[in-house]
Amino acid sequence: MTATDPAARTAVVTPSDPRYEDLLDAYNHRFSARPREIRVAVSAADVAAALRDAAGSGARIAARSGGHCFEGFASAADLAVLLDVSQLDGVAYDPARRAFAVGAGARLGPVYRALHARWGVTIPAGTCFDVGMGGHVAAGGYGHLSRRDGLVVDHLYAVEAVVVDAGGEPRVVTATREPDDPHRDLWWAHTGGGGGNFGVVTRYWFRSPDADPARLLPAAPGRVLRRTVVWPWEPMDDKALTRLVRNFCDWHEDNSAPGSPAAPLWSNLILSHRSAGAITLTSVVDEAAPGAAELLDEQYARLTGGVGVVPAVDDRAVQPWMSGWMPSFTWPPEPLGRYKNKAAYLRRGFDDRQLEVVCSYLGGDGGNPFACLVLSGYGCRIAEVPSGDTAAAHRTPVLKAMFCGGQWTSPDEDGPRIDWIRRFYRDVYAHTGGVPVPDAVSDGSYIGYPDVDLAGPEWNTSGVPWHDLYYGGNYPRLQRVKERYDPLGVFRHGLSVRPPA
């Protein structure tokens, strides 16, 4: 290949290029940076070259894999160079490391399909197929198999990242979980330390610590039992809604300990705003799990007890995991959507006062049909890993909550929509300063769903800094990694790890 061969050159796309608008487009249209150039990398060397140029000029640079960040970290107003790694999307077996190599730009859907079709294995990642691996894994990564198999990073063997030293020189570093690896701290920082903090990830390798030598990763399910239940909102009063949410939380409190027989069962309860007309439960369990059908029946009986509202839909089916159930969510549903979302971990279910707030906001005015509170199953295998073993510190919750302000397309709606979700979240956590301070019920938030409000004194009056909500006791170690691998502060955004003072 010659230097003049187009395949040997990184694409540098400027605003005059017809590709610019398509490459610029991302998830949240509330943010619309106009960088002077977009670099489309096809190798770690490309990434290094882009970082060398940016570090030398002091230009603000950000990397993007799938582009599904809730905030504008890759769309900041002062962004000069957008480094697109979406073409680093290979999935292959690496015999030298006895691990599966996955490019940081690969999307979850193709990764699942490749691992499943070629090797019959999987990782416990998310169900939004367009999400990029780069940010998803760096945040910890979780999904419908996490109760059974843990977080994605519990299976992360190595990471390849391009970092920038004190002299402004980029270098490609491969860090593994091996105890004697001199870069092991860099591997650790990428097991839940968040994206855009320490360097640009170009590749991950996955192999479970206790891997079956014949598989190396968890076996993919064959078929799943799925139950979809839809309750109509019209007859749902506060008493019924409170009972439904409490039942869901109680079941998870009782069935989320390490070693629980219910670990193969995952549930997602979407508490939509009343204007949507319905509340939806999805529960899935590997058909091959012991007592799978009984687990599904027992959970349904617990969840519906005392609710008093007859479901409009109660559909039960057996489906192939990959081709039947797995394509479950597509996000974003609106290509030009504008969003504001927030998150929290629950060690226990909401208390009575919090449930009153939930009923008030979801059953009242101000939301739109896409506004909701989503409660997703957590715990079990996740809780088996000590909080310091990975940067993902939240190991005791039984549920993960996402507060969604909905979706809209007009900038004119930004004010009321954002205000609604901010007040909703603040009022749920009013007793702890408007944020989920770790206590008997809450356990902070998930950096994969970043929310800059947690760093703002108007919305976080708890006295607990944002980094403790996201990283708990792991933050000082992340700071030391930051100091070592990003001494110039090349990688920064609204919630980036800061070096030690």
Side-chain angles (χ1 to χ4, degrees):
M1 183 179 292
T2 68
T4 57
D5 188 331
R9 299 197 301 267
T10 302
V12 179
V13 179
T14 61
S16 62
D17 192 300
R19 296 170 292 177
Y20 184 82
E21 297 297 333
D22 283 336
L23 289 172
L24 189 65
D25 193 31
Y27 157 79
N28 195 340
H29 284 256
R30 285 177 48 222
F31 307 100
S32 55
R34 306 285 301 179
R36 72 186 186 204
E37 63 184 40
I38 302 172
R39 295 207 179 194
V40 182
V42 296
S43 69
D46 289 345
V47 173
L51 291 176
R52 184 175 295 110
D53 292 347
S57 66
R60 176 75 180 275
I61 188 168
R64 183 185 71 193
S65 55
H68 281 69
C69 184
F70 285 177
E71 296 287 0
F73 295 166
S75 303
D78 62 344
L79 184 65
V81 179
L82 176 61
L83 181 52
D84 187 305
V85 299
S86 62
Q87 300 305 300
L88 298 172
D89 60 356
V91 180
Y93 176 67
D94 181 348
R97 287 195 167 89
R98 294 185 61 250
F100 298 95
V102 179
R107 305 294 180 104
L108 293 186
V111 171
Y112 280 128
R113 295 184 189 103
L115 291 175
H116 178 258
R118 298 177 65 184
W119 300 285
V121 299
T122 192
I123 52 176
T127 50
C128 296
F129 275 24
D130 288 336
V131 167
M133 289 289 288
H136 185 66
V137 177
Y142 85 105
H144 71 287
L145 293 177
S146 288
R147 284 169 53 86
R148 188 193 80 167
D149 297 323
L151 301 179
V152 175
V153 293
D154 296 339
H155 305 271
L156 181 64
Y157 175 73
V159 58
E160 178 185 78
V162 186
V163 300
V164 180
D165 65 22
E169 182 61 25
R171 58 195 176 107
V172 181
V173 176
T174 299
T176 75
R177 67 170 177 243
E178 297 296 341
D180 60 350
D181 189 327
H183 298 296
R184 191 178 192 277
D185 273 355
L186 185 63
W187 165 84
W188 178 87
H190 283 94
T191 61
N197 276 319
F198 313 101
V200 178
V201 176
T202 52
R203 184 164 36 172
Y204 294 109
W205 285 265
F206 296 96
R207 170 162 44 95
S208 303
D210 55 351
D212 175 349
R215 289 191 179 275
L216 304 181
L217 282 174
R223 301 196 304 174
V224 297
L225 299 179
R226 187 210 65 188
R227 191 165 200 159
T228 301
V229 183
V230 180
W231 289 270
W233 243 115
E234 185 176 352
M236 187 77 69
D237 58 16
D238 287 359
K239 181 179 178 181
L241 182 61
T242 295
R243 173 54 60 189
L244 176 61
V245 177
R246 183 172 286 126
N247 288 350
F248 186 80
C249 294
D250 287 350
W251 186 90
H252 281 86
E253 285 184 40
D254 294 341
N255 292 278
S256 299
S260 169
L265 176 59
W266 175 82
S267 299
N268 203 40
L269 181 63
I270 302 177
L271 300 162
S272 300
H273 187 265
R274 179 177 288 275
S275 58
I279 292 170
T280 303
L281 168 77
T282 300
S283 293
V284 290
V285 59
D286 187 340
E287 186 190 34
E294 290 77 10
L295 275 174
L296 211 57
D297 289 340
E298 188 272 336
Q299 187 202 49
Y300 179 79
R302 285 280 302 274
L303 265 56
T304 55
V307 174
V309 176
V310 177
V313 175
D314 182 7
D315 178 63
R316 183 167 173 156
V318 179
Q319 295 177 302
W321 171 73
M322 186 69 249
S323 62
W325 181 78
M326 263 296 283
S328 52
F329 301 102
T330 298
W331 199 263
E334 167 53 60
L336 299 178
R338 305 169 77 88
Y339 308 90
K340 178 64 178 178
N341 297 333
K342 295 171 174 286
Y345 289 105
L346 277 69
R347 286 174 167 155
R348 296 180 59 185
F350 293 120
D351 63 26
D352 290 343
R353 187 203 61 80
Q354 290 176 309
L355 287 171
E356 288 180 10
V357 174
V358 169
C359 291
S360 173
Y361 276 85
L362 294 180
D365 298 329
N368 68 30
F370 294 98
C372 58
L373 170 61
V374 181
L375 298 175
S376 299
Y378 214 68
C380 296
R381 186 69 180 273
I382 297 169
E384 294 181 11
V385 178
S387 63
D389 282 12
T390 63
H394 303 95
R395 295 291 179 166
T396 59
V398 299
L399 289 163
K400 185 189 288 284
M402 183 165 68
F403 295 73
C404 305
Q407 65 176 43
W408 61 95
T409 57
S410 171
D412 295 338
E413 295 186 67
D414 285 357
R417 298 301 184 200
I418 295 172
D419 179 65
W420 183 86
I421 193 63
R422 280 173 164 168
R423 289 186 291 106
F424 182 15
Y425 190 78
R426 178 201 63 193
D427 291 353
V428 167
Y429 298 106
H431 63 299
T432 52
V435 295
V437 173
D439 58 16
V441 173
S442 304
D443 192 27
S445 191
Y446 175 49
I447 195 60
Y449 300 156
D451 173 18
V452 294
D453 290 347
L454 298 191
E458 180 182 0
W459 298 103
N460 179 1
T461 60
S462 69
V464 177
W466 65 268
H467 47 75
D468 286 359
L469 298 173
Y470 284 120
Y471 300 120
N474 286 341
Y475 189 64
R477 185 176 176 185
L478 289 170
Q479 290 184 288
R480 294 192 294 271
V481 178
K482 178 74 168 181
E483 185 175 43
R484 177 181 176 188
Y485 289 97
D486 185 25
L488 299 180
V490 173
F491 306 103
R492 58 193 187 275
H493 52 70
L495 293 174
S496 55
V497 173
R498 277 62 160 174

